[in-house]
């Protein structure tokens, strides 16, 4: 096991200018359809790859998307709930994925991270797409990582540059409907 002395982490968020332009145009946020409570109707997690959905996961029975803001950048984030009445707001930036990048039909959350040194680095990337189509919620999250990378600058920018080529080590799908 290697000693990982440093960690770098970045979250890819929409530029503040794009959010300001959307507000001026009266369009609202790209994640507005996500906000509120959802009953989880299906949840799978493949913790070994991305070729197929994994085994069913029981928890959580509900999730709630809430809005947040970081240095003027607005985002949506979800918190797990046991009942619709027990949904609490997440604990800020480090409570989960921050959905802010507009995609077709929804928003994306992205985290790139690196840990270690250029001679022995762990690179990781998580991409999660949350979409609402026909009133149904789908969240697809792919986790990629590679350890013992020896030709890296060992920073989040390198993880982002290599994200598509990192081995996929997890694929989670959450589906939901309004309760």
């Amino acid at each position: 096991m290697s000693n990982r002395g440093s960690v770098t982490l970045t979250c890819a968020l929409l530029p503040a200018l794009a959010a300001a332009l959307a507000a001026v145009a009266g369009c609202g946020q790209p994640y507005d359809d996500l906000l509120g409570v959802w009953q989880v109707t299906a949840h799978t997690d493949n913790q070994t790859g991305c070729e197929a959905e994994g085994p069913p996961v029981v928890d959580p029975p509900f999730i709630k998307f809430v809005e947040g803001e970081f240095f003027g950048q607005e985002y949506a984030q979800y918190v797990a709930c046991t009942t619709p009445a027990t949904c609490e707001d997440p604990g800020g930036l480090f409570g989960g994925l921050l959905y802010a990048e507009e995609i077709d039909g929804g928003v994306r959350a992205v985290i790139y991270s690196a840990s270690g040194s250029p001679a022995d680095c762990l690179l990781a990337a998580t991409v999660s797409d949350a979409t609402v189509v026909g009133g149904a919620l789908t969240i697809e999250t792919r986790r990629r990582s590679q350890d013992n990378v020896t030709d890296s600058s060992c920073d989040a920018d390198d993880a982002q540059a290599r994200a598509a080529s990192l081995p996929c080590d997890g694929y989670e799908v959450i589906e939901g409907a309004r309760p």
Side-chain angles (χ1 to χ4, degrees):
M1 179 174 266
S2 64
N3 181 11
R4 306 245 180 250
S6 66
V7 174
T8 57
L9 174 73
T10 62
C11 294
L13 299 175
L14 279 175
L17 178 60
L21 288 173
V24 169
C27 300
Q29 294 298 331
Y31 54 74
D32 283 348
D33 288 347
L34 295 175
L35 297 177
V37 177
W38 295 87
Q39 182 172 4
V40 175
T41 57
H43 184 185
T44 61
D45 194 0
N46 180 345
Q47 296 185 14
T48 62
C50 291
E51 296 75 36
E53 288 188 31
V57 177
V58 176
D59 287 325
F62 296 89
I63 61 174
K64 178 182 179 184
F65 273 92
V66 296
E67 289 181 286
E69 184 179 326
F70 183 67
F71 289 113
Q73 174 61 58
E74 295 180 354
Y75 60 85
Q77 180 178 23
Y78 76 83
V79 61
C81 314
T82 55
T83 69
T86 62
C87 288
E88 299 293 330
D89 290 354
L93 289 175
F94 301 107
L97 294 165
L98 309 179
Y99 295 85
E101 179 185 338
E102 188 170 4
I103 60 170
D104 192 24
V107 286
R108 174 173 288 158
V110 182
I111 298 175
Y112 302 106
S113 64
S115 175
S117 70
D120 182 16
C121 187
L122 168 65
L123 298 174
T126 300
V127 178
S128 183
D129 292 342
T131 58
V132 178
V133 177
L137 169 70
T138 302
I139 303 170
E140 290 187 79
T141 304
R142 287 176 174 78
R143 300 174 300 273
R144 299 178 175 279
S145 67
Q146 185 169 0
D147 201 0
N148 304 313
V149 179
T150 59
D151 64 340
S152 171
S153 56
C154 203
D155 58 29
D157 289 339
D158 192 26
Q160 181 177 5
R162 297 180 189 217
S165 65
L166 296 176
C168 189
D169 51 18
Y171 175 54
E172 181 178 24
V173 178
I174 299 173
E175 296 176 352
R178 295 288 184 186

